[in-house]
Amino acid sequence: MEAHTPRPISRSAVEALLLHLPLLGADYSSADFDADLFSLIDPRKMRKAMRTVSDVMERDRRSRQDPVLATFDEITYEVWVSETPDMEVDCEDENGKLEFVVGPYGYTARDGSFVESPRLDPIPEYTRNTDDAIEFKASVFQSFLRLSVTEVDGQWGSDYRAALLSPSGDVVHDHLTGALPHAIIGAVLGALLSGWTRPLASYELIDE
């Protein structure tokens, strides 16, 4: 059985993200911020890649609604992606015993040779999509901290207060802002800086 090794997370990196959170959309790129969040919790390599709208059904729907606008789906745009070099598949050996085999992702070239090429996945839109923000919270704290969201009246409309609650019901950290994904991310980053942890946590906050 492999020993549990928590992923180190730099305190200074979390502090910088929390400082930049209010600047998103004006002085700081949301996509770059999302990539920085991803790097906190996932060891996979990241890079930028070009993509188009790949959902066939979505393309068909847009084409029927507005053929002119649908042509923009063919235009490539740059996104942050993660690289997954290997896949794990289960198969039966010659004795019928189930085993797991790890092999590289790739494709078959025209000459029939296999070319290793990692699988590319777009980085989640943590700061622009509420479901992705909730997934980020789950990646860090799983279900050990409960997320509570309250909508309140703000100066320019609705604001959102996201709070992370300990198993005893105490507020570990809360964050108030006008965008729900930002509120959730702020609560997670603040809870990290608070020092809250648990046995066998997936992370370890380090001072560097």
Side-chain angles (χ1 to χ4, degrees):
M1 183 176 179
E2 294 184 3
H4 172 69
T5 304
R7 177 169 174 76
I9 295 180
S10 166
R11 177 182 295 274
S12 61
V14 178
E15 290 174 339
L17 286 168
L18 200 53
L19 183 65
H20 287 139
L21 185 58
L23 307 177
L24 293 184
D27 301 316
Y28 200 89
S29 164
S30 295
D32 291 345
F33 191 94
D34 290 339
D36 289 338
L37 287 175
F38 183 86
S39 69
L40 286 182
I41 61 174
D42 198 298
R44 283 178 290 177
K45 291 175 58 179
M46 292 186 302
R47 66 179 176 87
K48 288 186 175 181
M50 304 303 295
R51 69 170 300 188
T52 61
V53 175
S54 58
D55 190 306
V56 176
M57 293 182 65
E58 177 68 7
R59 282 190 175 190
D60 181 65
R61 183 184 66 80
R62 294 189 188 187
S63 179
R64 284 184 279 107
Q65 287 181 342
D66 193 322
V68 175
L69 290 179
T71 60
F72 288 99
D73 291 342
E74 305 297 332
I75 299 176
T76 58
Y77 58 98
E78 190 175 59
V79 295
W80 279 101
V81 297
S82 62
E83 295 185 354
T84 303
D86 300 313
M87 71 176 84
E88 184 179 273
V89 297
D90 58 287
C91 57
E92 292 185 356
D93 62 16
E94 58 185 10
N95 297 316
K97 182 180 179 181
L98 185 66
E99 62 178 3
F100 296 93
V101 179
V102 175
Y105 280 99
Y107 61 92
T108 302
R110 290 183 178 180
D111 62 4
S113 62
F114 179 77
V115 179
E116 293 187 15
S117 180
R119 191 189 76 202
L120 303 180
D121 296 298
I123 298 300
E125 297 181 335
Y126 298 122
T127 57
R128 291 164 286 173
N129 182 289
T130 300
D131 289 339
D132 287 346
I134 293 174
E135 183 59 34
F136 179 76
K137 174 267 173 189
S139 298
V140 179
F141 296 120
Q142 289 81 45
S143 60
F144 294 94
L145 290 185
R146 181 169 61 87
L147 173 65
S148 172
V149 175
T150 305
E151 185 176 355
V152 299
D153 291 333
Q155 183 177 3
W156 307 108
S158 294
D159 283 346
Y160 300 91
R161 184 185 304 277
L164 292 183
L165 309 179
S166 70
S168 62
D170 297 325
V171 176
V172 177
H173 191 80
D174 67 341
H175 193 88
L176 175 68
T177 189
L180 180 53
H182 292 194
I184 296 171
I185 296 302
V188 173
L189 296 176
L192 275 171
L193 289 178
S194 76
W196 188 93
T197 189
R198 63 177 180 83
L200 298 180
S202 61
Y203 65 91
E204 178 184 12
L205 193 67
I206 59 175
D207 293 317
E208 68 171 29

